[in-house]
Amino acid sequence: MTVTFNVEGIMCSGCENRINNALKDIEGVISVNASHKTKTVTVEMTKDITKILKDKIEALGFDVID
């Protein structure tokens, strides 16, 4: 299962790394790809943890756009 979030505030590779590192350790996450070029975060997961992921991205100071 894969979900892609549109995220405002990803400005550089440092932002990408913050998001990737924060999300990769959440149970159920297989892979994370944050991109400042496309302003997206794509997560492959074993179960639906979409709300947990969205909350974590926002807790890092980024805005998830619905």
Side-chain angles (χ1 to χ4, degrees), residues 4-41:
T4 299
F5 299 99
N6 294 310
V7 181
E8 285 190 9
I10 304 176
M11 307 299 270
C12 62
S13 59
C15 295
E16 293 172 355
N17 289 335
R18 271 184 65 210
I19 294 169
N20 289 337
N21 289 333
L23 299 186
K24 72 178 182 179
D25 293 331
I26 295 174
E27 184 179 340
V29 172
I30 298 169
S31 67
V32 181
N33 182 19
S35 172
H36 73 278
K37 292 179 181 171
T38 61
K39 307 285 191 240
T40 60
V41 177

